[in-house]
Short mmCIF file of all heavy atoms in Angstrom, two decimals:
data_model
loop_
_atom_site.label_atom_id
_atom_site.label_comp_id
_atom_site.label_asym_id
_atom_site.label_seq_id
_atom_site.Cartn_x
_atom_site.Cartn_y
_atom_site.Cartn_z
N PRO A 12 -1.20 27.37 -17.76
CA PRO A 12 -2.63 27.66 -17.67
C PRO A 12 -3.38 26.92 -18.78
O PRO A 12 -2.84 26.76 -19.89
CB PRO A 12 -2.70 29.18 -17.88
CG PRO A 12 -1.36 29.69 -17.47
CD PRO A 12 -0.39 28.60 -17.85
N ASN A 13 -4.59 26.44 -18.46
CA ASN A 13 -5.44 25.81 -19.48
C ASN A 13 -5.03 24.42 -19.91
O ASN A 13 -5.62 23.86 -20.84
CB ASN A 13 -5.50 26.69 -20.74
CG ASN A 13 -6.89 27.28 -20.93
OD1 ASN A 13 -7.87 26.68 -20.47
ND2 ASN A 13 -6.99 28.41 -21.57
N ALA A 14 -3.99 23.84 -19.29
CA ALA A 14 -3.54 22.50 -19.69
C ALA A 14 -4.57 21.43 -19.35
O ALA A 14 -4.57 20.35 -19.94
CB ALA A 14 -2.20 22.19 -19.02
N GLY A 15 -5.43 21.74 -18.37
CA GLY A 15 -6.45 20.76 -17.98
C GLY A 15 -6.22 20.16 -16.60
O GLY A 15 -6.76 19.10 -16.28
N LYS A 16 -5.45 20.86 -15.76
CA LYS A 16 -5.13 20.35 -14.42
C LYS A 16 -6.38 20.15 -13.56
O LYS A 16 -6.54 19.14 -12.90
CB LYS A 16 -4.18 21.34 -13.69
CG LYS A 16 -2.87 21.58 -14.43
CD LYS A 16 -2.03 22.64 -13.76
CE LYS A 16 -2.60 24.05 -13.87
NZ LYS A 16 -2.77 24.54 -15.26
N SER A 17 -7.26 21.16 -13.59
CA SER A 17 -8.45 21.08 -12.73
C SER A 17 -9.43 20.04 -13.25
O SER A 17 -10.06 19.32 -12.46
CB SER A 17 -9.12 22.46 -12.64
OG SER A 17 -8.21 23.38 -12.09
N THR A 18 -9.57 19.95 -14.56
CA THR A 18 -10.42 18.91 -15.15
C THR A 18 -9.88 17.54 -14.74
O THR A 18 -10.65 16.63 -14.40
CB THR A 18 -10.42 19.03 -16.69
OG1 THR A 18 -10.69 20.38 -17.05
CG2 THR A 18 -11.46 18.12 -17.32
N SER A 32 -12.56 26.39 -16.76
CA SER A 32 -13.05 27.29 -17.81
C SER A 32 -12.08 27.27 -18.98
O SER A 32 -10.96 26.79 -18.87
CB SER A 32 -13.22 28.72 -17.30
OG SER A 32 -12.03 29.45 -17.46
N GLN A 36 -5.69 30.93 -16.35
CA GLN A 36 -5.62 31.46 -14.98
C GLN A 36 -6.95 31.32 -14.24
O GLN A 36 -7.33 32.19 -13.46
CB GLN A 36 -5.15 32.92 -14.96
CG GLN A 36 -3.76 33.09 -15.56
CD GLN A 36 -3.35 34.54 -15.70
OE1 GLN A 36 -3.76 35.39 -14.91
NE2 GLN A 36 -2.53 34.83 -16.70
N THR A 37 -7.63 30.21 -14.48
CA THR A 37 -8.88 29.97 -13.78
C THR A 37 -8.63 29.66 -12.30
O THR A 37 -9.24 30.26 -11.43
CB THR A 37 -9.63 28.79 -14.44
OG1 THR A 37 -9.97 29.16 -15.78
CG2 THR A 37 -10.89 28.42 -13.67
N THR A 38 -7.74 28.72 -12.04
CA THR A 38 -7.44 28.33 -10.66
C THR A 38 -6.51 29.34 -10.02
O THR A 38 -5.48 29.69 -10.60
CB THR A 38 -6.79 26.93 -10.62
OG1 THR A 38 -7.65 26.02 -11.32
CG2 THR A 38 -6.56 26.45 -9.20
N GLY A 60 -2.11 27.68 -12.86
CA GLY A 60 -1.24 27.49 -14.03
C GLY A 60 -0.04 28.42 -13.96
O GLY A 60 -0.15 29.56 -13.54
N ASN A 119 -2.18 15.56 -21.91
CA ASN A 119 -3.64 15.65 -21.83
C ASN A 119 -4.30 16.07 -23.15
O ASN A 119 -3.64 16.56 -24.06
CB ASN A 119 -4.00 16.66 -20.72
CG ASN A 119 -5.46 16.65 -20.37
OD1 ASN A 119 -6.13 15.62 -20.47
ND2 ASN A 119 -5.99 17.80 -19.98
N LYS A 120 -5.59 15.89 -23.20
CA LYS A 120 -6.46 16.27 -24.33
C LYS A 120 -6.23 15.38 -25.55
O LYS A 120 -6.35 15.83 -26.69
CB LYS A 120 -6.30 17.75 -24.70
CG LYS A 120 -6.44 18.71 -23.51
CD LYS A 120 -6.69 20.14 -23.92
CE LYS A 120 -6.66 21.06 -22.69
NZ LYS A 120 -6.92 22.47 -22.98
N ASP A 122 -8.04 13.22 -26.64
CA ASP A 122 -9.30 13.04 -27.41
C ASP A 122 -9.36 13.97 -28.60
O ASP A 122 -10.12 13.73 -29.55
CB ASP A 122 -10.51 13.27 -26.48
CG ASP A 122 -10.48 14.64 -25.80
OD1 ASP A 122 -9.57 14.87 -24.97
OD2 ASP A 122 -11.33 15.47 -26.09
N LEU A 123 -8.55 15.03 -28.58
CA LEU A 123 -8.55 15.99 -29.71
C LEU A 123 -7.45 15.69 -30.72
O LEU A 123 -7.32 16.40 -31.72
CB LEU A 123 -8.36 17.42 -29.18
CG LEU A 123 -9.41 17.94 -28.18
CD1 LEU A 123 -8.99 19.31 -27.64
CD2 LEU A 123 -10.78 18.02 -28.84
N SER A 149 -7.04 11.69 -21.42
CA SER A 149 -8.03 12.73 -21.65
C SER A 149 -8.74 12.99 -20.33
O SER A 149 -9.46 12.12 -19.83
CB SER A 149 -9.05 12.33 -22.71
OG SER A 149 -10.12 13.27 -22.70
N ALA A 150 -8.51 14.18 -19.79
CA ALA A 150 -9.15 14.53 -18.51
C ALA A 150 -10.65 14.66 -18.69
O ALA A 150 -11.42 14.41 -17.78
CB ALA A 150 -8.57 15.84 -17.97
N THR A 151 -11.07 15.03 -19.92
CA THR A 151 -12.50 15.22 -20.17
C THR A 151 -13.24 13.89 -20.28
O THR A 151 -14.26 13.69 -19.62
CB THR A 151 -12.71 16.04 -21.46
OG1 THR A 151 -12.12 17.32 -21.26
CG2 THR A 151 -14.18 16.22 -21.78
N1 GTP B 1 -11.10 18.20 -25.26
C1 GTP B 1 -10.55 18.29 -24.05
N2 GTP B 1 -10.61 19.45 -23.37
C2 GTP B 1 -10.04 19.49 -22.14
C3 GTP B 1 -9.39 18.38 -21.56
N3 GTP B 1 -8.93 18.75 -20.35
C4 GTP B 1 -9.30 20.03 -20.18
N4 GTP B 1 -9.97 20.49 -21.26
C5 GTP B 1 -10.51 21.85 -21.46
O1 GTP B 1 -9.43 22.76 -21.35
C6 GTP B 1 -9.87 23.97 -20.72
C7 GTP B 1 -9.02 24.26 -19.51
O2 GTP B 1 -9.28 23.27 -18.53
P1 GTP B 1 -8.92 23.49 -16.99
O3 GTP B 1 -9.10 22.19 -16.30
O4 GTP B 1 -9.64 24.68 -16.45
O5 GTP B 1 -7.37 23.83 -17.13
P2 GTP B 1 -6.32 24.24 -15.97
O6 GTP B 1 -5.03 23.63 -16.33
O7 GTP B 1 -6.87 23.88 -14.64
O8 GTP B 1 -6.25 25.81 -16.17
P3 GTP B 1 -5.82 26.96 -15.11
O9 GTP B 1 -6.56 26.73 -13.84
O10 GTP B 1 -6.23 28.21 -15.79
O11 GTP B 1 -4.34 26.86 -14.96
C8 GTP B 1 -11.35 23.78 -20.41
O12 GTP B 1 -12.10 24.34 -21.45
C9 GTP B 1 -11.49 22.27 -20.38
O13 GTP B 1 -12.79 21.83 -20.70
C10 GTP B 1 -9.33 17.16 -22.32
O14 GTP B 1 -8.78 16.13 -21.93
N5 GTP B 1 -9.93 17.18 -23.56
#
Side-chain angles (χ1 to χ4, degrees):
N13 248 333
K16 301 175 291 300
S17 300
T18 310
S32 90
Q36 300 173 31
T37 296
T38 306
N119 190 31
K120 308 197 187 182
D122 56 294
L123 301 174
S149 169
T151 298

